[in-house]
Amino acid sequence: MALYSEKVMDHFRNPRNVGVIENASGVGEVGNAKCGDIMTMYLQIENDIIVDVKFETFGCGSAIASSSMATELIKGKPISEALQLTNKAVAEALDGLPAHKLHCSVLAEEAIKSALRDYYDKNGIAYDASLFPAEHCCEDCH
């Protein structure tokens, strides 16, 4: 069996939504010093809908694929749906990630939630802090 699924390879070779959104509604940057992956997510939000999303990722192929897939999963969706996105959903949409690369999907989830928290903060919108767990990465990062 191949280490990476065809979907992972496709999103790595042909990432969707790469770039920067100038004057984004929300920007989130997360990283992990152990593995070296850094992700920045940019959201453009209108009427509680994510009308555009872009990312910049410095990291391995799994990190790029996870970022790309995560943007595809939330683009055009209401904020409420984006807040429900989990790293498990990202990994499943990629037809799985090797165990030692699951932290990449965790970072993608955290980057989106960080951008949404930034959007709420910029606009003075109250939110439930429990929706935004402390940013971290799993122990098997290396």
Side-chain angles (χ1 to χ4, degrees):
M1 184 175 122
L3 186 60
Y4 297 105
S5 71
E6 282 300 313
K7 280 191 183 175
V8 170
M9 295 307 296
D10 181 41
H11 278 267
F12 165 63
R13 290 183 181 124
N14 308 292
R16 284 65 151 179
N17 307 306
V18 175
V20 175
I21 297 174
E22 296 297 329
N23 302 311
S25 304
V27 179
E29 181 174 283
V30 297
N32 183 283
K34 277 179 142 178
C35 60
D37 295 330
I38 300 169
M39 291 182 186
T40 305
M41 289 280 176
Y42 303 87
L43 303 177
Q44 191 61 46
I45 299 170
E46 295 173 12
N47 300 315
D48 285 335
I49 303 293
I50 298 170
V51 295
D52 198 11
V53 55
K54 302 262 187 237
F55 77 91
E56 292 181 304
T57 294
F58 178 83
C60 67
S62 294
I64 292 166
S66 292
S67 300
S68 174
M69 180 57 81
T71 63
E72 289 288 281
L73 292 171
I74 66 166
K75 192 172 188 175
K77 300 284 194 310
I79 291 172
S80 58
E81 282 187 40
L83 282 169
Q84 301 304 313
L85 182 70
T86 64
N87 67 294
K88 184 178 178 192
V90 173
E92 285 175 359
L94 288 168
D95 292 336
L97 287 168
H100 68 284
K101 293 295 184 179
L102 283 174
H103 67 273
C104 296
S105 62
V106 172
L107 284 175
E109 174 190 345
E110 289 176 349
I112 288 168
K113 289 185 176 172
S114 178
L116 288 168
R117 183 175 45 225
D118 181 54
Y119 167 73
Y120 284 152
D121 289 343
K122 283 179 177 175
N123 291 283
I125 300 169
Y127 58 85
D128 179 354
S130 70
L131 296 173
F132 305 98
E135 292 163 9
H136 70 284
C137 192
C138 57
E139 290 79 44
D140 54 359
C141 229
H142 59 288

